């Protein structure tokens, strides 16, 4: 939930001068002014004094309204609150507006208007009656977008008018808020993942600090440590109380790789292959974080999110929610890259044991398939969802599933659990199929499970 406090607006602020105030004359005000001037000219030509007085009255009335409205001192404070500030594509968010009259005068009739991008809907307008000194008015409206992204809301605008409708002046607040529309996520079945150790949760494994009496790694005694853990041999060696280290739980790692190359996808819009891949990556990273994994989002350009934890992975459990927010914010604005290959992502993965790798690829030529196949060597398990651009360009009425392409075959030979993604496919079903295939798929090089285990947790 976010809030914005634009602060007080002084409606007597000399912004643009009196000339700008005269520009706020309405059609009625301009008509009165024109009629008054015309009547005054006719009265002068015809020598009619009564007509001259009528003309002056008609001309002076809108000018008086402009002067009074321009010099009236209103101090109004406004704030905006989004609920929620981060919403999935296709869902609604509510925007709450609050206006406080912080002056000692009643306000006149106010028209409140908020600026919103056209993709979120029509521009909201509200008419507020006179607000008493210290009074508060609250209104709200809903916004919705089928397109992910970051959308600015604001600034708020107040439109003041006189009782006769002769003049309208607009004052704007300076602050604005941002609504983040994140990709849609799909709940995935809780399959047991490769590399998980039974008994400690799917995303945790134990690292033994001692493997034998000669391999003990002691540490200094701390207040509250169990005296039964004191290691007397090390105590005698170092001259201070030393205790054995306990088994330290480590979080299993998972890297979600998103292929954003422009040449790898065809089409655009919410139903395009690229948007399916973005939504799939969001669903996978949320699912893995919920399972207790340390997750990193990686793109073909080698950029990693989040970058605050060790090696770019999400940190402790307390940081998981923040890490998920960072990655979802990144996916909200991710766009096609102009790169033509996956070599940068491979260089990042080449750094060490990456745990489980879940990749969402577009079209792969022979060279990029070879690069993706080499990624498997640095992971404990690898699952690939490959989107064929031609199939997605033809749409859902495409012909029955085509035979396994050369890219899928080469990936599987390298140890990947590779799944072809037809147009409009459900990720949950493909995820389950990957688990069933991965339960019996073995890496020829390492002899370990390559993808997802088919057993339920």
């Amino acid at each position: 939930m976010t809030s914005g406090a634009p602060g007080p607006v002084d409606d007597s602020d000399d912004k643009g001068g009196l000339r700008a105030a005269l520009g706020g004359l309405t059609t009625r005000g301009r008509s009165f002014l024109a009629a008054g001037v015309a009547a005054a000219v006719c009265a002068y030509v015809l020598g009619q004094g009564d007509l001259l007085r009528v003309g002056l009255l008609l001309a002076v009335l809108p000018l008086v309204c402009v002067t009074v409205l321009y010099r009236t001192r209103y101090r109004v404070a406004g704030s905006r609150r989004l609920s929620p500030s981060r919403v999935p594509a296709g869902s609604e968010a509510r925007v709450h507006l609050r206006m406080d009259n912080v002056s000692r005068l009643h306000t006149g009739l106010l028209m409140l208007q908020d600026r919103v991008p056209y993709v979120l809907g029509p521009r909201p307008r509200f008419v507020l009656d006179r607000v008493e000194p210290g009074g508060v008015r609250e209104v709200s409206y809903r916004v919705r977008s089928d397109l992910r992204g970051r959308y600015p809301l604001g600034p708020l605008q107040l439109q003041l008018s006189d009782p006769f409708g002769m003049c309208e002046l607009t004052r704007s607040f300076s602050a604005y808020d941002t609504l983040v529309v994140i990709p849609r996520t799909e709940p995935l079945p809780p399959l047991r993942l490769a590399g998980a150790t039974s008994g400690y949760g799917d995303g945790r494994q134990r690292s033994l600090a001692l493997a034998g009496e000669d391999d003990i790694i002691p540490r200094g005694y701390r207040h509250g440590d169990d005296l039964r853990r004191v290691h007397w041999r090390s105590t005698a060696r170092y001259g201070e109380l030393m205790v054995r280290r306990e088994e330290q739980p480590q979080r299993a790692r998972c890297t979600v790789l998103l292929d954003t190359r422009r040449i790898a996808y065809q089409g655009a819009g919410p139903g395009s292959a690229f948007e399916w891949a973005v939504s799939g990556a969001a669903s996978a990273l949320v699912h893995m974080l919920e399972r207790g994994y340390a997750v990193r989002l990686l793109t073909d350009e080698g950029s990693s999110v989040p970058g605050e934890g060790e090696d770019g992975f999400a940190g402790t459990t307390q940081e998981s929610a923040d890490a998920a927010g960072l990655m979802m914010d990144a996916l909200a604005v991710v766009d096609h890259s102009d790169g033509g290959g996956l070599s940068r992502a491979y260089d990042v993965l080449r750094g060490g044991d990456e745990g489980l790798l879940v990749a969402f690829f577009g079209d792969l030529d022979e060279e990029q398939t070879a690069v993706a196949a080499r990624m498997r060597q640095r992971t404990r398990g690898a699952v690939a969802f490959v989107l064929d651009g031609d199939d997605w360009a033809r749409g859902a009425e495409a012909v029955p599933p085509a035979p396994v392409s050369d890219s899928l075959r080469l990936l599987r030979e390298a140890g990947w659990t590779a799944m072809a993604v037809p147009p409009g496919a459900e990720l949950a079903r493909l995820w389950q199929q990957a688990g069933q295939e991965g339960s019996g798929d073995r890496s020829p090089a390492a002899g370990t499970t390559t993808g997802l285990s088919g057993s339920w947790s």
Side-chain angles (χ1 to χ4, degrees):
M1 182 177 296
T2 63
S3 63
V9 168
D10 189 347
D11 292 308
S12 66
D13 185 19
D14 189 6
K15 197 173 184 178
L18 190 58
R19 181 178 300 178
L22 290 173
L25 282 172
T26 63
T27 302
R28 179 185 298 177
R30 295 175 188 273
S31 300
F32 267 67
L33 183 60
V37 172
V41 172
C42 293
Y44 177 78
V45 172
L46 299 177
Q48 297 292 328
D50 294 337
L51 182 59
L52 179 60
R53 286 190 288 271
V54 172
L56 292 177
L57 176 63
L58 292 177
V60 168
L61 180 60
L63 297 179
V64 170
C65 291
V66 168
T67 305
V68 172
L69 190 62
Y70 177 72
R71 298 184 62 84
T72 300
R73 294 182 176 272
Y74 293 147
R75 292 192 59 84
V76 182
S79 63
R80 183 190 300 104
R81 178 170 54 89
L82 308 183
S83 178
S85 61
R86 184 186 291 119
V87 62
S91 300
E92 290 184 344
R94 183 169 288 275
V95 183
H96 302 269
L97 304 177
R98 175 188 171 107
M99 304 302 300
D100 296 82
N101 183 11
V102 296
S103 67
R104 298 181 179 181
L105 300 175
H106 282 80
T107 68
L109 192 65
L110 302 178
M111 177 177 287
L112 182 64
Q113 177 177 276
D114 203 7
R115 286 188 175 183
V116 300
Y118 71 95
V119 295
L120 297 182
R123 180 172 295 183
R125 293 181 175 90
F126 305 93
V127 177
L128 304 181
D129 203 355
R130 290 164 54 89
V131 183
E132 66 279 3
V136 176
R137 297 291 185 271
E138 294 185 358
V139 292
S140 65
Y141 64 94
R142 290 180 290 184
V143 290
R144 178 182 181 274
S145 174
D146 292 326
L147 301 175
R148 57 185 176 81
R150 294 174 61 90
Y151 300 103
L153 300 179
L156 278 172
Q157 292 182 332
L158 277 179
Q159 193 174 75
L160 310 175
S161 62
D162 64 280
F164 300 102
M166 298 289 182
C167 180
E168 292 180 350
L169 296 182
T170 301
R171 294 290 183 261
S172 296
F173 294 96
S174 58
Y176 64 91
D177 290 283
T178 301
L179 176 68
V180 182
V181 180
I182 61 177
R184 295 185 182 95
T185 57
E186 184 177 347
L188 303 179
L191 303 176
R192 188 176 298 279
L193 304 174
T197 304
S198 59
Y200 297 105
D202 294 322
R204 296 190 180 273
Q205 53 188 351
R206 288 253 173 176
S207 174
L208 294 178
L210 56 95
E213 191 67 21
D214 296 332
D215 297 325
I216 291 177
I217 305 177
R219 63 168 175 81
Y221 176 83
R222 299 171 186 168
H223 179 71
D225 285 338
D226 191 346
L227 291 178
R228 290 174 295 182
R229 291 173 47 211
V230 173
H231 188 250
W232 297 108
R233 182 179 299 178
S234 298
T235 299
R237 179 184 302 173
Y238 294 104
E240 60 176 325
L241 278 179
M242 306 293 291
V243 296
R244 294 184 177 91
R245 292 180 184 270
E246 294 179 333
E247 295 179 349
Q248 300 294 326
Q250 292 183 343
R251 302 184 79 194
R253 291 180 171 184
C254 175
T255 298
V256 178
L257 173 61
L258 175 63
D259 181 8
T260 64
R261 296 172 299 136
R262 188 181 303 275
I263 62 175
Y265 300 94
Q266 299 181 27
S272 64
F274 181 66
E275 292 302 322
W276 191 98
V278 173
S279 178
S283 302
L285 68 88
V286 169
H287 176 76
M288 301 305 291
L289 283 172
E290 291 175 349
R291 301 294 301 278
Y293 274 64
V295 181
R296 174 178 60 182
L297 174 64
L298 185 66
T299 67
D300 58 288
E301 293 187 315
S303 56
S304 176
V305 180
E308 298 178 356
E310 181 184 0
D311 298 329
F313 286 86
T316 61
T317 305
Q318 290 79 8
E319 297 173 354
S320 295
D322 295 336
L326 287 173
M327 288 184 281
M328 296 302 285
D329 288 347
L331 288 176
V333 296
V334 70
D335 200 358
H336 290 291
S337 67
D338 295 326
L342 302 170
S343 56
R344 292 184 180 178
Y346 172 71
D347 291 338
V348 175
L349 293 173
R350 196 170 52 181
D353 183 8
E354 300 296 326
L356 179 66
L357 174 61
V358 181
F360 294 84
F361 293 122
D363 286 329
L364 295 173
D365 56 23
E366 184 176 351
E367 180 182 356
Q368 301 311 316
T369 301
V371 175
R374 292 196 300 270
M375 294 179 182
R376 173 65 183 89
Q377 302 172 2
R378 292 293 179 176
T379 63
R380 295 192 177 191
V383 185
F385 299 93
V386 183
L387 292 82
D388 185 89
D390 294 334
D391 288 347
W392 280 81
R394 287 193 295 265
E397 64 274 359
V399 236
V404 177
S405 66
D406 292 339
S407 297
L408 293 176
R409 178 178 56 82
L410 292 175
L411 289 177
R412 289 171 179 171
E413 290 177 355
W416 285 80
T417 299
M419 307 295 299
V421 181
E426 295 181 2
L427 178 60
R429 185 176 62 181
L430 292 175
W431 187 268
Q432 190 167 11
Q433 291 177 1
Q436 294 170 354
E437 292 189 12
S439 61
D441 191 4
R442 299 281 175 176
S443 169
T448 57
T449 305
T450 62
L452 306 175
S453 170
S455 60
W456 295 89
S457 61

